[in-house]
Amino acid sequence: MHSLLSYTTCGQEKIRVAVYVNKAALQFVGTIDDKKTHYKLSNEVRDAGFGIEPDELASIVRTHDSKGLESHGGLEGLARELSVSLKDGVVSSDIPLRQNIYGLNRYVEKPSKSLWMFVWDALHDLTLVILMVCAVISIGVGIPTEGWPKGMYDGVGILLCIFLVVLVTAISDYRQSLQFRDLDKEKKNIIVQVTRDGCRQKVSIYDLVAGDVVHLSIGDQVPADGVFISGHSLSVDESSLSGESEAVNVTQETPFLLAGTKVQDGSGKMLVASVGMRTEWGRLMVTLSEGGDDETPLQVKLNGVATIIGKIGLAFAVLTFLVLTGRFLVVKALQNRITVWSGSDALKLLNYFAIAVTILVVAVPEGLPLAVTLSLAFAMKKLMSDKALVRHLSACETMGSVSCICTDKTGTLTTNHMVVNKIWICQKTTEINSRGSEDVLNISLSEKVLNLLLQSIFQNTSSEVVRGKDLKKNIIGTPTETALMELGMLLGGDFNAYREEDNIVKVEPFNSNKKRMSVLVALPGSGGFQAFCKGASEIILKMCDKIVNADGEAIPLSEEQRKDITDVINNFACEALRTLCLAFKDIKGISSADSIPEDGYTLISVIGIKDPVRPGVREAVKTCLAAGITVRMVTGDNINTAKAIAKECGILTENGIAIEGSDFRNKSPQEMEEIIPKLQVMARSLPLDKHTLVTHLRNVTKEVVAVTGDGTNDAPALHEADIGLAMGIAGTEVAKENADVIVMDDNFSTIVNVARWGRSVYINIQKFVQFQLTVNVVALMLNFICACVSGSTPLTTVQMLWVNLIMDTLGALALATEPPHEGLMKRPPVGRDVKFITRIMWRNIVGQSIFQILVLLIFQLKGKQLLKLTGSDADSILKTFIFNSFVFCQVFNEINSRDMVKINVFRGIFDSWIFLIVIISTVAFQFIIVEFLGTFADTVPLSWELWLASILIGAASLIIAVVLKCIPVRESKLIVEHHDEKVKI
């Protein structure tokens, strides 16, 4: 991860340097020659009906050439030359033509590695290269000494095994690279709102064309280079390109927008001028290839384990070679033949060296990092189909250890399908839950009050009413805005009529800090202004000193009335309604246009909006609690609304604490330490409050924290958390960019599913480590002891290479892709300080290894007597039997590793089809090797009795493993690892 962060920082620095060099070059050219480059309109562009060359258009925006824009008639002239209406957007039938002339909105990507490149990389493994050299020498020496074709069998057998290992490894890596590439494309596929054919619609960023009218709002990424059409308070963050932290205001005077920048404030519309490789960002991508080694903490950690085991293996390999060579030389000396050497002697020494190298190959657990990659890739693919896009591999690991989830309310715990349920206006509450209730409201309100209400709804909104392809009216905007707009339309209001009647001078968009939205409107003819404000009920009420009466007049707001309104707000909130207030203020004097006032407003109405709890959320919260995961709700809503929803979801319990953000941020560190363990709901919170809570949970209580967020201001908390979860529907691009996982359906149940898969990844890798370490210990000790005792090893080079394939690639494939089971969410999370290899694992590894070594050693030393083997082929049969028994011990060991604690290891085995295929394939290949490939594998066919005996020895190892699980082991307290820290082993 450190390498990835270093790469990212380095990449950003390269981009900034490239931008500065580019700008300097343009300025330099400008000082030498003031003459503009003259672009001649090509016949192709003219015949297509356009009036400007793609390169000229791109140059105007890229260089912020205001004079060039004016020479083409400004924005309207540019639109004419692009044959587009700024109101209706492009015509869909023209899109292929525009793509042909002005290009596709895609960047040049680094070509993916082919399968043969992965094969080539796998062949560069040092130990495999040494083995290949040994095989070639073995063939060269074997043919002269043992004749053709017998002399080549050992060498060819080794080469065939190496080929199989390389091919399986390369195919596995190639498949994972394709999968990660697909996921990477999905991450970059941003949905953009455009106007086409006169309709507002959503399209993929890849489908944008020159001439598109794009709608931008806070947190959006600018999808292409373009020119500002209209908007309010639009400012963009260009730091990704320029390195400048100051936001750039976009106006009619400075109308240029560049791809890759982020909207920091306001909203607006943009005319797309250039796309893809003609944008500033695209030009930089030509020289900068994105990518990097995204090694997860677990991969880094297991690479360290592999290195340690490799060193131990190297020591055993050297010792084995020295013991075998020493015995060989002693025998030659005793026979007085120390000076007499032949080709067969050289072949023996070469065979000893090959055995030593093979021991090293078997000892080096290349499968550990592979198991992590396979498990993560498998989990990512499954989560993608379950509506969760994993942006960082490490998130899969860390999510399995989460002990606390800080979740938003709106859209995550609730459906985000909002409707106005109640309205308080003119001292009366009206319920709007059935057809006809709006008529009652219309009748009870005077024309002046109704007009004020509709003005406050239609003027002070970031939503729009547009016609869809079916010509029906659709409301585009946030769920809250949509609910208000629907109310206005129910009351007979015409959105377009109200918007065209007055001129909006200034807009202050809603943000999480102010918790309100304000708009300043110039009144026609009078020279005065009117300000409208809406937002969090308590905040707007404090800004008001007057109230609208039944006649539509503003009268002073008494303390008694203020108390009554507060009671109305609380009553709405206790019914789990989101509450907000609408207010206005008349302003005289033109100087007032500079800013929107923050006090002296007249209260119009209190609105209660219903947002039902999502189905399945209560069960998901219950699952979290059973899994030892605390769920905390952090919301900007009223505390009574938050408490009502939290109780409905099962989050707020009798002993739990619900607190407002203002109270929380004023607590001392000691007070925070006391309340945070019991804190279950935080209402009216600011993004800074969420960040403070996350920081305290991680650093003081040492919890592993997952945080949900959707707004731009949530980015710090998402970044600070162990796992940042951005909302795919409601989330801004800034939030998504700072998150580890994007929850595509904004559903809390999906978050729980991510935690389940995270646990599965962690447990699966532990299973594989247990399996591989057992095979390592048995293979190393068996070969070394036999070399010391008898001067030969029971397993040949080819046989050990086959075992290496079983335990590395096939073992990783079998155990690392096991799907999660419900039992995973009935145990506590693994924590930050827990060692990866647990005491339970050591118990299983040591017990299983001792049994296998003892049994195989007994057969190595006394096998002929025990099996009643006689005849000239007795030694070959015994060696084959030991090899066969060793493989079946590993097959049953693999089955046993499916569960490190439970006795029933066959539970759910038929749900894991990959595991079944691997086991069946291993047994089938073992049968083929023993019965038909004896020439290369140095085996002989076995009788059915000996096959049965080998299977029974393997089954006995499984029984011993089950017995071992009955031995109690006291584990240290459970927990996990943050993705920026080292983990103990």
Side-chain angles (χ1 to χ4, degrees):
M1 182 56 69
H2 182 266
S3 65
L4 177 65
L5 290 172
S6 301
Y7 172 84
T8 305
T9 306
C10 181
Q12 288 175 342
E13 194 58 37
K14 284 181 181 178
I15 291 170
R16 288 167 188 163
V17 169
V19 171
Y20 287 135
V21 170
N22 196 21
K23 285 182 178 177
L26 288 168
Q27 289 171 1
F28 180 69
V29 169
T31 59
I32 294 174
D33 187 3
D34 288 333
K35 291 182 180 179
K36 300 279 182 187
T37 303
H38 292 287
Y39 292 91
K40 186 179 179 183
L41 196 65
S42 66
N43 291 331
E44 185 185 12
V45 174
R46 187 182 292 108
D47 293 344
F50 302 116
I52 187 168
E53 279 292 313
D55 290 335
E56 182 182 5
L57 183 56
S59 176
I60 289 171
V61 179
R62 192 170 61 246
T63 60
H64 291 201
D65 184 3
S66 298
K67 289 182 179 178
L69 180 62
E70 288 173 15
S71 69
H72 284 276
L75 176 66
E76 287 76 14
L78 207 61
R80 280 194 303 273
E81 291 179 338
L82 282 170
S83 299
V84 65
S85 161
L86 294 177
K87 182 181 178 183
D88 297 332
V90 301
V91 179
S92 295
S93 58
D94 289 347
I95 289 173
L97 181 64
R98 291 176 184 274
Q99 288 177 331
N100 184 47
I101 300 295
Y102 292 98
L104 298 168
N105 197 28
R106 293 177 185 269
Y107 303 128
V108 170
E109 292 184 355
K110 189 178 177 182
S112 57
K113 287 169 68 174
S114 65
L115 174 61
W116 300 114
M117 288 298 294
F118 283 101
V119 170
W120 181 248
D121 289 345
L123 283 169
H124 279 70
D125 185 278
L126 181 60
T127 50
L128 290 182
V129 171
I130 295 170
L131 276 178
M132 282 188 277
V133 172
C134 289
V136 171
I137 296 172
S138 175
I139 293 170
V141 176
I143 292 173
T145 54
E146 297 183 26
W148 174 272
K150 189 179 178 183
M152 62 171 281
Y153 288 156
D154 283 348
V156 171
I158 294 171
L159 288 174
L160 284 173
C161 272
I162 290 171
F163 173 74
L164 188 61
V165 169
V166 166
L167 194 63
V168 171
T169 304
I171 289 172
S172 174
D173 289 345
Y174 178 63
R175 284 175 58 83
Q176 301 322 314
S177 75
L178 290 179
Q179 192 168 324
F180 289 140
R181 193 173 180 83
D182 290 342
L183 287 168
D184 192 52
K185 282 182 181 176
E186 191 64 35
K187 284 190 286 188
K188 294 175 181 176
N189 185 17
I190 298 168
I191 301 302
V192 182
Q193 289 205 11
V194 299
T195 296
R196 282 183 182 173
D197 301 317
C199 304
R200 182 96 165 252
Q201 52 192 277
K202 295 178 181 179
V203 299
S204 166
I205 189 172
Y206 298 132
D207 296 331
L208 273 188
V209 293
D212 260 324
V213 175
V214 174
H215 299 259
L216 299 171
S217 56
I218 294 177
D220 285 351
Q221 177 177 311
V222 179
D225 286 2
V227 180
F228 177 71
I229 299 173
S230 63
H232 301 286
S233 310
L234 185 65
S235 62
V236 295
D237 175 11
E238 293 187 351
S239 60
S240 58
L241 280 174
S242 66
E244 301 293 338
S245 57
E246 285 293 319
V248 177
N249 293 320
V250 181
T251 62
Q252 301 290 354
E253 289 72 38
T254 54
F256 302 106
L257 291 144
L258 297 178
T261 57
K262 305 288 191 303
V263 178
Q264 189 163 306
D265 201 1
S267 60
K269 291 194 291 185
M270 173 187 92
L271 176 67
V272 174
S274 50
V275 294
M277 297 311 297
R278 285 194 172 93
T279 64
E280 178 73 359
W281 188 260
R283 283 162 58 91
L284 296 174
M285 289 300 105
V286 173
T287 54
L288 299 172
S289 58
E290 292 198 73
D293 294 328
D294 189 4
E295 275 202 330
T296 74
L298 207 49
Q299 282 175 318
V300 173
K301 178 170 63 177
L302 292 178
N303 278 332
V305 176
T307 302
I308 294 168
I309 295 171
K311 288 177 180 177
I312 295 169
L314 178 62
F316 271 95
V318 171
L319 281 174
T320 304
F321 178 71
L322 292 176
V323 168
L324 289 172
T325 306
R327 286 181 65 97
F328 173 72
L329 293 174
V330 168
V331 169
K332 280 189 76 72
L334 291 174
Q335 295 174 350
N336 295 319
R337 297 181 59 209
I338 195 70
T339 57
V340 180
W341 290 83
S342 63
S344 61
D345 290 336
L347 201 61
K348 268 190 178 180
L349 287 174
L350 184 66
N351 186 46
Y352 293 158
F353 182 70
I355 287 171
V357 174
T358 309
I359 287 173
L360 181 60
V361 172
V362 173
V364 175
E366 305 97 338
L368 290 182
L370 175 64
V372 180
T373 306
L374 280 171
S375 191
L376 291 172
F378 185 70
M380 286 174 76
K381 187 177 179 181
K382 293 292 183 183
L383 283 170
M384 189 66 196
S385 62
D386 290 343
K387 304 294 183 183
L389 174 61
V390 179
R391 295 187 73 252
H392 302 139
L393 275 176
S394 55
C396 277
E397 297 169 12
T398 315
M399 195 64 197
S401 309
V402 162
S403 56
C404 169
I405 298 175
C406 295
T407 177
D408 285 333
K409 176 185 73 66
T410 306
T412 308
L413 298 173
T414 60
T415 60
N416 217 15
H417 295 149
M418 300 189 194
V419 290
V420 174
N421 184 255
K422 285 187 177 182
I423 179 171
W424 179 92
I425 188 167
C426 299
Q427 311 289 328
K428 293 179 183 178
T429 299
T430 305
E431 190 168 350
I432 303 177
N433 57 3
S434 61
R435 299 297 300 176
S437 54
E438 66 272 14
D439 296 330
V440 174
L441 189 61
N442 265 330
I443 293 166
S444 64
L445 298 179
S446 68
E447 186 178 341
K448 192 172 181 180
V449 173
L450 181 61
N451 188 51
L452 262 178
L453 177 62
L454 293 176
Q455 269 191 304
S456 67
I457 290 173
F458 291 136
Q459 297 282 22
N460 188 20
T461 182
S462 59
S463 295
E464 287 186 51
V465 178
V466 298
R467 291 194 181 276
K469 291 183 179 180
D470 55 1
L471 299 181
K472 289 183 179 179
K473 286 186 177 180
N474 295 321
I475 300 170
I476 303 292
T478 65
T480 306
E481 296 265 26
T482 301
L484 285 173
M485 293 284 280
E486 285 175 347
L487 173 65
M489 291 165 75
L490 274 173
L491 295 173
D494 185 339
F495 172 77
N496 292 322
Y498 275 93
R499 295 289 276 201
E500 289 169 5
E501 192 174 298
D502 298 323
N503 179 34
I504 295 175
V505 177
K506 188 177 180 64
V507 175
E508 285 184 1
F510 179 88
N511 66 54
S512 302
N513 288 318
K514 290 184 177 180
K515 298 194 183 301
R516 67 173 189 265
M517 177 181 179
S518 304
V519 63
L520 191 65
V521 178
L523 299 176
S526 68
F529 297 90
Q530 204 166 37
F532 292 97
C533 188
K534 70 178 177 189
S537 305
E538 308 92 294
I539 293 170
I540 302 299
L541 185 58
K542 284 179 184 176
M543 295 167 61
C544 296
D545 56 14
K546 292 185 280 294
I547 187 172
V548 172
N549 65 11
D551 298 323
E553 302 296 327
I555 60 173
L557 179 63
S558 67
E559 283 305 312
E560 187 179 347
Q561 285 176 315
R562 191 180 294 274
K563 184 177 177 299
D564 290 341
I565 295 167
T566 302
D567 289 340
V568 169
I569 292 169
N570 290 335
N571 289 335
F572 280 13
C574 289
E575 294 175 31
L577 299 179
R578 297 191 73 195
T579 64
L580 54 91
C581 287
L582 306 180
F584 82 101
K585 180 178 182 178
D586 287 320
I587 306 166
K588 292 181 180 178
I590 198 159
S591 60
S592 301
D594 296 334
S595 63
I596 302 177
E598 297 189 1
D599 56 19
Y601 279 84
T602 302
L603 183 69
I604 301 171
S605 173
V606 179
I607 308 287
I609 299 175
K610 185 76 173 174
D611 185 14
V613 171
R614 282 183 183 271
V617 163
R618 189 175 182 87
E619 290 73 20
V621 170
K622 193 175 179 182
T623 301
C624 283
L625 297 176
I629 301 171
T630 305
V631 181
R632 293 179 169 91
M633 179 199 287
V634 184
T635 179
D637 257 349
N638 178 288
I639 190 164
N640 292 317
T641 306
K643 284 163 73 174
I645 295 289
K647 285 176 182 175
E648 193 175 342
C649 295
I651 293 172
L652 185 61
T653 60
E654 287 183 12
N655 299 321
I657 294 175
I659 192 172
E660 288 194 334
S662 55
D663 295 333
F664 176 79
R665 73 183 76 104
N666 292 325
K667 298 285 183 188
S668 67
Q670 292 77 16
E671 289 174 320
M672 280 192 182
E673 203 165 330
E674 288 176 15
I675 68 162
I676 282 180
K678 294 181 180 179
L679 180 63
Q680 292 173 342
V681 176
M682 190 193 295
R684 289 292 184 230
S685 65
L686 301 179
L688 184 63
D689 299 329
K690 188 187 283 190
H691 185 269
T692 303
L693 175 63
V694 171
T695 304
H696 194 283
L697 285 168
R698 288 195 62 237
N699 298 335
V700 179
T701 61
K702 300 298 180 187
E703 296 214 45
V704 181
V705 185
V707 171
T708 69
D710 51 19
T712 303
N713 290 332
D714 287 327
L718 290 169
H719 184 74
E720 174 64 25
D722 293 277
I723 293 291
L725 300 154
M727 300 297 105
I729 299 171
T732 63
E733 288 307 316
V734 174
K736 291 174 187 177
E737 204 168 82
N738 282 276
D740 301 289
V741 178
I742 298 173
V743 183
M744 307 299 282
D745 60 355
D746 292 13
N747 195 338
F748 185 78
S749 299
T750 303
I751 297 170
V752 178
N753 202 32
V754 175
R756 183 182 288 108
W757 272 102
R759 291 190 175 195
S760 178
V761 167
Y762 196 85
I763 293 292
N764 283 350
I765 296 166
Q766 280 189 316
K767 293 175 189 176
F768 176 71
V769 168
Q770 176 184 298
F771 167 68
Q772 186 161 57
L773 289 185
T774 305
V775 183
N776 273 356
V777 170
V778 175
L780 289 177
M781 294 304 297
L782 186 65
N783 276 329
F784 178 69
I785 293 169
C786 289
C788 293
V789 174
S790 62
S792 64
T793 56
L795 302 176
T796 66
T797 301
V798 173
Q799 290 169 0
M800 281 196 286
L801 283 172
W802 167 236
V803 170
N804 183 63
L805 185 66
I806 292 173
M807 73 179 195
D808 268 358
T809 309
L810 297 180
L813 192 62
L815 292 170
T817 56
E818 284 263 274
H821 54 84
E822 287 306 314
L824 289 175
M825 298 303 283
K826 293 177 182 175
R827 59 179 72 172
V830 180
R832 290 186 193 277
D833 303 321
V834 162
K835 294 180 179 179
F836 183 74
I837 303 177
T838 63
R839 292 176 186 173
I840 288 174
M841 291 169 69
W842 281 123
R843 176 199 66 190
N844 297 341
I845 291 165
V846 172
Q848 185 69 207
S849 300
I850 290 171
F851 171 78
Q852 290 188 27
I853 291 168
L854 285 176
V855 170
L856 295 173
L857 274 178
I858 289 169
F859 279 106
Q860 172 72 10
L861 301 174
K862 298 290 182 181
K864 289 181 185 178
Q865 296 90 319
L866 292 171
L867 298 173
K868 297 182 174 57
L869 298 177
T870 56
S872 58
D873 60 350
D875 288 334
S876 298
I877 292 173
L878 180 60
K879 279 194 170 187
T880 304
F881 175 78
I882 291 171
F883 166 57
N884 208 36
S885 300
F886 178 76
V887 169
F888 273 102
C889 280
Q890 305 329 313
V891 169
F892 281 96
N893 181 26
E894 204 164 349
I895 294 170
N896 171 59
S897 295
R898 291 189 70 244
D899 199 309
M900 295 177 291
V901 180
K902 301 287 185 184
I903 290 174
N904 182 11
V905 293
F906 293 99
R907 183 190 62 180
I909 195 168
F910 293 107
D911 296 330
S912 181
W913 58 271
I914 296 178
F915 185 90
L916 287 173
I917 289 172
V918 169
I919 292 295
I920 292 168
S921 301
T922 303
V923 174
F925 273 114
Q926 179 65 14
F927 181 79
I928 292 168
I929 288 169
V930 171
E931 296 296 322
F932 304 108
L933 298 178
T935 305
F936 298 105
D938 201 15
T939 59
V940 294
L942 297 177
S943 63
W944 70 267
E945 292 92 346
L946 291 179
W947 270 99
L948 182 60
S950 295
I951 294 169
L952 288 175
I953 289 170
S957 72
L958 178 60
I959 293 168
I960 292 296
V962 170
V963 172
L964 284 169
K965 289 176 182 177
C966 298
I967 300 172
V969 173
R970 187 180 177 184
E971 280 288 5
S972 55
K973 74 171 185 176
L974 295 175
I975 90 140
V976 92
E977 186 51 48
H978 176 49
H979 45 74
D980 289 332
E981 300 169 354
K982 298 284 183 183
V983 186
K984 293 182 182 177
I985 288 288

